[in-house]
Amino acid sequence: MQRRDALKQISALLAAGSLGLPAWAQGSGFEQVNPPQPTDAKGKVEVIEFFHYGCPHCRAFDPLLEGWIKKQPADVVFTRVPVTWGNPQLAGFARLYLTLDVLGELHHLHGQVFAAIQDDKQPLNTEAGAQEWAVKKGVDSKKFLEAYRSFSVQSRLARVEQIGKAYKIQGVPTLAVDGKYFTSASIAGSHENALKVADQLISRARQEQGRK
């Protein structure tokens, strides 16, 4: 889903259905990050998935991505970055993601957030809606609220917004490899191809780092 589509149709984010894939450049299967971005994975290869919970393409990609992540060697550091594009609703989704991460609940609730938003139309972009849903999933109410309002989550939210701007993200889901390369279904032709291209870019990054 492209940024302009998400912002133009934000009121429809909770509606079912799929949107057309953005028409990015085809051919190589990847694009250059311009300018290249620094990474925190020194001596390793960082892979970032940019996503948001209202995106049906992100939801479709997620099971494939999870399987791919489990196959990666120790020198690949994977992280997700929720995009906000300055939109309050997407910022609410991002805050929920970061809160669940802080609480250690992402491993079993991440996929359920997609379903709650896209199928059940739950208002998980709001504090009250997110807390009510999380409590029903077994999260302690007080701990959830403390994390949701914490300085740590607020700081991380500011950080992910900064990262999204630095990478100039225009569509999701997008994978960024080693701060230098982008790939996605709309660049590589399919979600499956995007993961194959990511593997190739990881190998390329190792060579550029002087490793095999």
Side-chain angles (χ1 to χ4, degrees), residues 89-131:
Q89 188 171 36
L90 296 186
F93 293 158
R95 185 180 289 274
L96 173 59
Y97 172 85
L98 296 170
T99 299
L100 294 177
D101 189 29
V102 166
L103 293 172
E105 300 288 350
L106 267 180
H107 65 287
H108 69 283
L109 291 180
H110 178 65
Q112 295 182 53
V113 178
F114 281 115
I117 291 171
Q118 297 184 30
D119 296 342
D120 302 331
K121 317 301 187 293
Q122 295 290 314
L124 302 193
N125 58 301
T126 68
E127 179 182 290
Q131 182 186 24

Side-chain angles (χ1 to χ4, degrees), residues 29-33 167 169 174-176 180-183 187 201:
F30 69 92
E31 295 178 349
Q32 301 279 343
V33 176
Y167 274 87
I169 295 300
T174 292
L175 296 177
K180 299 177 182 178
Y181 310 107
F182 287 133
T183 189
I187 300 173
L201 293 174

